[in-house]
Amino acid sequence: MQRSWIVLFIACIILSPVFNFAAPILKFLGQEHGIADPAGVYSLKIIPQMFSYAINLPTQRFHQAQSKVLVITLIAFAALIVQTGLLHLFINVFGLGTTGAAVAYDITNWGVAISQVGYVMVCCKEEWTGFSRLAFGEIWDFAKLSLASCMMVCLDLWYPISISILAGLLPNAVISVGSFSICMNFQNWEIMLLLGISAAVSYYLVGLPLAIFLGFKVDLGAIFFLLIMTCRTNWDREVEQTTRRIKKWRSQETITDEICI
């Protein structure tokens, strides 16, 4: 845990310029100046909370390893109440705006870090034996291990997200390409018009209005995204079946014409 504090503090020092120059970085990436400038000012003011994570995260893992989840929960709940009060005080009472929000954020995160470390030092006598010089030993090897672990976590997050995106987009892409190929094969404007109207009706005239109504009026929250995809998928399935029938009918008409000839 102590070695993790040291490594993460060094990492925070390295990342500090990103927070310091957030505004020009955002502008370089194409963000509007009206958004990039306030974001840069806010990022500069929350640099202290970044260093609090260097203490908070390893200590939280320490508690989890000791199966002391209740401690983490109670501290997080207390931090929520304190931060809400500080936000009201700094923003509504003192009128500090985003500066007050940043200060409240800094204070709350450092409060969480100090509370967790204090609990370790006071209530974990068997696990905590005090600060040790051994924490400074083999720092580079531990940093490389931490970096590898960080990359694994990023890949673990990226993999299911990418799979979910592919699972949602690939069927629609296959259906769209298949429908387009059928239309180009038959060169029938009626079929193309039918597919276009079906796609527009399925998404813009049925799925989207229904999702907005259920999401904002009925207050179903993020479920409306699932309704959009479900409605779109069902209608796409109908379109696919229709194109198959048309292709089958066209084939039968071609065979009949050849027999007649």
Side-chain angles (χ1 to χ4, degrees):
M1 180 177 63
Q2 297 178 45
R3 190 174 288 132
S4 298
W5 291 346
I6 298 171
V7 172
L8 289 181
F9 255 102
I10 296 174
C12 290
I13 295 174
I14 296 174
L15 292 175
S16 294
V18 178
F19 284 74
N20 191 26
F21 300 101
I25 292 175
L26 290 174
K27 293 176 183 178
F28 176 77
L29 295 175
Q31 184 61 266
E32 297 179 359
H33 288 203
I35 298 177
D37 291 332
V41 174
Y42 183 79
S43 298
L44 184 62
K45 295 176 181 178
I46 62 172
I47 290 179
Q49 66 81 28
M50 178 179 62
F51 285 89
S52 72
Y53 281 120
I55 301 296
N56 185 13
L57 295 180
T59 311
Q60 188 178 71
R61 298 297 182 272
F62 178 86
H63 287 306
Q64 291 174 345
Q66 305 299 325
S67 298
K68 297 178 180 179
V69 183
L70 180 60
V71 176
I72 302 174
T73 305
L74 294 176
I75 293 176
F77 181 73
L80 175 63
I81 297 177
V82 172
Q83 185 172 9
T84 303
L86 290 177
L87 288 172
H88 173 72
L89 178 65
F90 293 150
I91 297 176
N92 297 330
V93 178
F94 296 154
L96 298 178
T98 56
T99 300
V103 172
Y105 193 38
D106 295 337
I107 293 175
T108 303
N109 280 275
W110 270 106
V112 171
I114 294 173
S115 299
Q116 292 197 25
V117 173
Y119 183 87
V120 171
M121 294 180 177
V122 175
C123 302
C124 300
K125 296 295 185 180
E126 295 181 359
E127 298 86 2
W128 174 260
T129 58
F131 294 100
S132 174
R133 294 180 180 180
L134 296 176
F136 294 92
E138 301 179 350
I139 286 291
W140 176 240
D141 293 334
F142 187 80
K144 291 189 293 185
L145 180 62
S146 300
L147 181 61
S149 177
C150 178
M151 295 300 296
M152 290 179 63
V153 171
C154 293
L155 291 175
D156 288 339
L157 291 175
W158 174 82
Y159 179 75
I161 292 174
S162 60
I163 293 298
S164 300
I165 293 175
L166 289 176
L169 295 182
L170 186 58
N172 286 332
V174 171
I175 292 173
S176 300
V177 173
S179 301
F180 177 76
S181 301
I182 293 174
C183 292
M184 294 302 295
N185 183 32
F186 291 135
Q187 294 182 356
N188 191 322
W189 289 100
E190 293 180 0
I191 298 177
M192 297 178 68
L193 181 62
L194 173 63
L195 293 177
I197 294 176
S198 299
V201 170
S202 65
Y203 186 77
Y204 294 103
L205 299 182
V206 178
L208 189 58
L210 180 62
I212 293 175
F213 172 75
L214 295 177
F216 295 99
K217 297 298 182 180
V218 186
D219 197 20
L220 291 180
I223 298 178
F224 75 88
F225 286 108
L226 299 177
L227 294 175
I228 292 177
M229 297 304 298
T230 302
C231 184
R232 176 67 183 272
T233 303
N234 292 336
W235 277 89
D236 285 341
R237 190 179 296 113
E238 293 295 331
V239 173
E240 183 182 13
Q241 293 176 358
T242 302
T243 54
R244 289 178 179 176
R245 296 191 189 101
I246 294 174
K247 182 178 180 180
K248 181 179 180 181
W249 295 339
R250 298 284 291 186
S251 300
Q252 292 176 351
E253 290 178 358
T254 303
I255 295 175
T256 303
D257 293 339
E258 291 178 354
I259 292 175
C260 293
I261 295 174

